[in-house]
Amino acid sequence: MTLSIQLEQYRNYLTYERNYSPQTINHYLRTLRRLDAFLTEINSHQSPPVKQIRSLHIRRFLADTSQRGAKPSTLLHYIKELSAFFNYLISQGRIEKSPTQHIRKPKLPDRAPEYLTVDEMTRLFAAVDLDEKWGLRDLCILQALYYCGLRNGELTALKRSDIHDDFSYLHVQSGKGGKDRLIPLHHHLQETLRAYVRRYDVSRPDQPLFPSRYHKQQRLHRETLNQLVKRYAALAGIEKDVLRTHTFRHTFATHLYQYGVNLNTISELLGHSGLDKVIVYTHAKADHLKEAMVRWEAATSDG
């Protein structure tokens, strides 16, 4: 069976068994299609049977990708995605061993993730003009990214019903392996959310919490969020090599750690701790999560 034929079955596996997000699935399939196109070109323009793919083919593909300007971090992602695919084929009994098994991973330079200081976050929030039509919405988005450490896709997927009735917790449904989590809300975000849902009449439980400007039932586009972040960073005079929504997630984790929250709790709040999607388990963790965030909340409050 050829590589190209396997891809639709693999998509179903990632969707229904691994419960990956559409964006993650697209990343995996895009890499596999690039491999298929490369192997087809060197194989008399025919997609090769998966049983005939060897380590040499993977090395040639990675070398070609590198020559086209791919960074080591990109190659590392490719190896990870290809390894996952071939391990899937092994589990299905379609091949006996993975051609990625002995592929050497490129070394990455040691580099701490970019994050903002507390002062920069304060300036960023202050750059929002609340008298503008969408100012309160924009502030609410920026605060949710920072005070909750949300991924881009998690924020755009939020519904009105994900906010508890008393605005004390946010229920986050994650596409990363299907891990749900409950995040205690900083009192600044609680106040902004209350004002936001009143002003923009975000009342229906199934309504996107942050809908498109043009249709209340459509979610914001992912790139719209990155553009929003860059716009307010420019207004606040913040200059970073890389500034996007994920920078807020790094900032959230860094500030928690700086104010004494332990790494296990930070991992849990970020959705990295192996939490199952059984929401009852997440609810059981709510009290100690809230206690762990009290010190950080006090440190980021200005009265």
Side-chain angles (χ1 to χ4, degrees):
M1 192 175 291
T2 64
L3 175 56
S4 59
I5 292 176
Q6 297 280 355
L7 295 188
E8 191 58 36
Q9 295 177 18
Y10 189 51
R11 176 193 290 275
N12 292 335
Y13 167 76
L14 295 177
T15 302
Y16 301 112
E17 295 192 38
R18 300 296 297 174
N19 197 26
Y20 283 175
S21 69
Q23 185 196 24
T24 299
I25 293 171
N26 288 336
H27 276 301
Y28 276 66
L29 295 181
R30 189 180 304 124
T31 299
L32 289 165
R33 290 193 186 101
R34 285 172 176 159
L35 174 65
D36 185 45
F38 175 79
L39 295 179
T40 297
E41 184 176 341
I42 67 173
N43 188 48
S44 303
H45 300 285
Q46 292 183 347
S47 181
V50 291
K51 288 185 176 181
Q52 294 181 11
I53 299 176
R54 300 289 182 263
S55 295
L56 176 62
H57 297 125
I58 304 300
R59 290 192 184 96
R60 289 182 62 181
F61 168 67
L62 293 173
D64 179 76
T65 304
S66 179
Q67 290 173 3
R68 294 174 186 269
K71 298 178 181 179
S73 58
T74 300
L75 297 178
L76 198 60
H77 279 296
Y78 281 11
I79 294 170
K80 172 189 171 183
E81 291 158 357
L82 295 175
S83 296
F85 172 67
F86 288 110
N87 287 336
Y88 156 77
L89 293 180
I90 291 173
S91 71
Q92 300 297 309
R94 295 171 192 169
I95 60 175
E96 294 183 1
K97 63 179 182 178
S98 171
T100 63
Q101 184 176 353
H102 300 296
I103 298 297
R104 185 176 298 174
K105 296 178 181 178
K107 287 188 176 182
L108 300 181
D110 293 331
R111 186 178 63 183
E114 191 89 73
Y115 70 94
L116 302 176
T117 65
V118 172
D119 176 67
E120 286 172 330
M121 289 305 311
T122 302
R123 284 159 46 200
L124 192 78
F125 294 153
V128 180
D129 184 354
L130 295 179
D131 290 329
E132 288 187 357
K133 181 178 180 180
W134 296 101
L136 183 58
R137 184 208 67 163
D138 292 351
L139 178 61
C140 202
I141 288 172
L142 294 173
Q143 288 188 350
L145 287 169
Y146 170 55
Y147 289 128
C148 298
L150 299 177
R151 300 177 178 95
N152 190 314
E154 291 172 344
L155 186 137
T156 58
L158 289 174
K159 303 187 297 295
R160 174 62 181 86
S161 59
D162 290 324
I163 307 173
H164 278 213
D165 291 341
D166 63 355
F167 288 81
S168 60
Y169 289 97
L170 181 70
H171 174 217
V172 180
Q173 301 182 50
S174 173
K176 291 278 187 176
K179 304 184 190 95
D180 285 13
R181 64 192 190 278
L182 204 65
I183 300 178
L185 293 183
H186 192 290
H187 72 270
H188 285 335
L189 179 55
Q190 289 186 36
E191 293 170 3
T192 307
L193 273 171
R194 290 177 192 275
Y196 166 73
V197 297
R198 284 196 304 267
R199 180 184 296 186
Y200 300 100
D201 190 27
V202 184
S203 54
R204 289 179 48 183
D206 62 343
Q207 182 178 347
L209 181 59
F210 299 111
S212 162
R213 293 185 179 187
Y214 310 105
H215 197 295
K216 294 185 71 172
Q217 293 305 314
Q218 291 182 354
R219 297 174 180 175
L220 278 177
H221 192 274
R222 298 174 62 89
E223 191 52 37
T224 300
L225 291 184
N226 282 319
Q227 292 171 359
L228 182 147
V229 165
K230 291 175 182 177
R231 175 192 171 201
Y232 285 109
L235 289 173
I238 297 171
E239 297 181 1
K240 298 286 183 180
D241 291 337
V242 178
L243 186 59
R244 52 197 176 93
T245 54
H246 215 72
T247 307
F248 287 69
R249 186 168 164 84
H250 293 318
T251 302
F252 169 75
T254 301
H255 290 179
L256 285 175
Y257 181 71
Q258 289 174 344
Y259 289 110
V261 179
N262 69 69
L263 291 176
N264 287 333
T265 300
I266 294 172
S267 293
E268 203 166 329
L269 290 165
L270 291 173
H272 284 322
S273 63
L275 288 177
D276 194 82
K277 57 184 176 182
V278 180
I279 196 63
V280 175
Y281 181 79
T282 309
H283 277 245
K285 296 287 185 180
D287 288 341
H288 91 262
L289 290 179
K290 191 165 187 175
E291 290 172 7
M293 294 181 72
V294 167
R295 186 184 303 177
W296 169 66
E297 180 166 338
T300 55
S301 299
D302 50 13

